[in-house]
Amino acid sequence: MRWTFKTTLLALTVGTIGLVGCNNPETTSATSTDAEATASTSDIPVQGVTDTEIVLGGANDLSGPFAGFGNPAVTAANMYFDEVNAAGGVNGRKIRYIVEDHSYQVPKAVQAANKLVSRDKVFAMLMSLGTPHNLASFPIMDRANVPSVMPITFATPMQEEGALNRRYTIGSTYYDSMKLGMEYLIAENDVKNLCVMYIPSDYGEETNAAAKDISDNNPNVTLVASSSHRPDETDFSGAIAKLKESNCDLIALSLTIRGAITAVGTANAMGWSDVKFIAPATGFHPAVAAAPGGASEGLYAVSYYNDLALRANEPETKAFVDKFKKATGEDVSAGAIIGHVAARITVDGLKAAGPDLNADTFNAGLETVSFVDGVTGSTVAITPESHVAINDVYLSQVNSGAWKTVTQLK
């Protein structure tokens, strides 16, 4: 079953039933004390804000197929919040970040959102992971005027579904970034036969749609095959064999981290060397590049920043890498970078909102956020016209177990 906004309504119903006994956010927010709520021009009382605290929430994947993004993202964000809190917080308030694990399961994501919004009374949702997971949770959030800030998904509906003043995203959509990447490789390598392997949710469907549009508008390129796969699928030998028979020149992968590694590794093991693979931003991960045995060698990926290894001598980059390694014993990953950037954007928006914090002042504050991130080198700029934080798009390739920048696409 393809997960879209319509089908997520079923998951929404299931998740809501699973939380029978939770208070309705529209009714219980009105009974909050003055210390728990401040005025908002939306006429919906503010939750998650007291004189001393701002409560943020997140429904993330901490144990499922995208835990490689979720865990480091949450860790890096909390590291940033700890620094801010140690310095006195934001306008006198400390940040508390509550994260629930949904294991990349939509019903669990809805239950998590319901708990965070209805019981924990979060002010905003930060870095919730997954496209159908977020779409199913938006109605719960919107009823309580809870914004979605930097979700870990780059699907188009994150920027278009619902009111703009409740939606703030990290970077270009899967569709736009993958289309740019595919078009570049097609032009540079005289690609004729285009193929897609994807998870049948908005995440994967956007890559498939971009490939279809390229094929429809470029008479020299044909989309010859598309295959859909479960998020937990690990054996791609049959699919790769069929794509090889289809004479694919370029295969776009919208799979999990492990799936991308396995797909490329399977082709390499078959000796299929005259095909190219490209992954979306979810594939731009150090674990993918460093896959054992060079399984991912040659894979391309789009991203919103260059690999940090290429910025090893930059002071802020080095300090962040060293601090994360010391705190976790792990190397910085794509998830950690997202967590750092998302936390900084959130804090800057909260600061700009001022002491009278509500959804409206937070929106106004976020729309002034603008900086060049010293860790990634990316330019962050949110405006009233665009709530997309980073508009840069890069193309990188795995070379000898590390990502190397090929070009800047945008």
Side-chain angles (χ1 to χ4, degrees):
M1 177 172 63
R2 176 189 170 195
W3 283 103
T4 62
F5 182 69
K6 292 180 180 178
T7 57
T8 53
L9 293 178
L10 174 60
L12 175 60
T13 302
V14 172
T16 303
I17 292 173
L19 276 179
V20 172
C22 286
N23 293 323
N24 186 315
E26 291 183 295
T27 58
T28 59
S29 292
T31 63
S32 299
T33 65
D34 290 341
E36 294 173 335
T38 56
S40 170
T41 57
S42 67
D43 294 327
I44 300 175
V46 179
Q47 60 181 44
V49 179
T50 71
D51 292 339
T52 59
E53 186 178 61
I54 301 167
V55 184
L56 305 176
N60 217 308
D61 182 4
L62 306 180
S63 60
F66 285 99
F69 273 90
N71 282 301
V74 171
T75 298
N78 275 322
M79 287 172 56
Y80 193 87
F81 293 148
D82 287 346
E83 289 183 356
V84 171
N85 289 341
V90 180
N91 297 318
R93 299 183 176 106
K94 303 289 181 70
I95 296 173
R96 180 160 59 97
Y97 186 30
I98 306 171
V99 180
E100 296 290 330
D101 178 20
H102 61 50
S103 304
Y104 205 67
Q105 297 176 29
V106 175
K108 289 181 67 175
V110 175
Q111 290 179 1
N114 217 332
K115 172 188 176 293
L116 290 163
V117 172
S118 301
R119 292 181 183 172
D120 297 315
K121 303 292 186 184
V122 299
F123 172 68
M125 291 283 275
L126 173 66
M127 295 194 308
S128 289
L129 185 146
T131 302
H133 314 71
N134 275 280
L135 287 174
S137 301
F138 279 170
I140 298 169
M141 297 157 57
D142 288 349
R143 285 197 299 270
N145 209 19
V146 172
S148 169
V149 183
M150 307 295 127
I152 304 181
T153 165
F154 307 101
T156 301
M158 297 302 102
Q159 301 178 13
E160 297 179 351
E161 186 65 46
L164 177 68
N165 65 355
R166 294 195 183 102
R167 308 287 184 259
Y168 315 88
T169 59
I170 299 171
S172 296
T173 64
Y174 293 122
Y175 176 92
D176 289 337
S177 59
M178 283 295 280
K179 188 168 185 287
L180 286 171
M182 285 188 281
E183 287 175 336
Y184 178 88
L185 292 176
I186 288 167
E188 291 293 311
N189 299 279
D190 194 29
V191 168
K192 302 297 184 186
N193 293 335
L194 183 60
C195 299
V196 181
M197 296 176 70
Y198 66 103
I199 295 172
S201 68
D202 292 82
Y203 162 58
E205 291 288 358
E206 289 198 24
T207 291
N208 199 38
K212 286 180 179 178
D213 287 348
I214 290 172
S215 178
D216 289 344
N217 293 288
N218 187 335
N220 298 316
V221 179
T222 302
L223 178 60
V224 297
S226 294
S227 62
S228 63
H229 303 273
R230 303 185 313 274
D232 60 351
E233 194 167 334
T234 58
D235 184 359
F236 297 101
S237 54
I240 292 294
K242 289 180 181 179
L243 294 179
K244 185 177 181 182
E245 291 176 2
S246 299
N247 296 315
C248 302
D249 298 315
L250 173 63
I251 301 175
L253 303 173
S254 281
L255 304 171
T256 63
I257 296 172
R258 182 179 179 183
I261 295 171
T262 304
V264 179
T266 300
N268 289 338
M270 288 181 177
W272 190 13
S273 59
D274 58 348
V275 64
K276 299 185 184 303
F277 292 87
I278 181 172
T282 50
F284 187 68
H285 194 287
V288 174
S296 61
E297 192 69 13
L299 171 66
Y300 291 89
V302 293
S303 69
Y304 310 112
Y305 51 86
N306 287 310
D307 187 77
L308 292 197
L310 303 176
R311 295 176 52 83
N313 294 325
E314 296 292 333
E316 286 191 52
T317 304
K318 187 177 186 307
F320 174 67
V321 169
D322 291 346
K323 182 176 180 179
F324 189 85
K325 179 77 170 181
K326 182 178 179 180
T328 66
E330 300 175 358
D331 293 327
V332 167
S333 65
I337 295 167
I338 290 172
H340 160 77
V341 174
R344 179 174 176 184
I345 290 170
T346 302
V347 168
D348 282 11
L350 290 170
K351 288 179 178 176
D356 184 16
L357 181 60
N358 56 55
D360 301 311
T361 59
F362 186 44
N363 178 65
L366 280 170
E367 289 179 344
T368 69
V369 171
S370 178
F371 60 86
V372 177
D373 180 51
V375 172
T376 63
S378 296
T379 298
V380 173
I382 300 176
T383 68
E385 293 74 34
S386 173
H387 286 185
V388 181
I390 301 174
N391 286 290
D392 300 336
V393 179
Y394 297 90
L395 180 68
S396 299
Q397 184 181 26
V398 178
N399 187 327
S400 300
W403 289 109
K404 305 295 182 185
T405 303
V406 175
T407 189
Q408 184 169 353
L409 299 168
K410 179 181 176 184

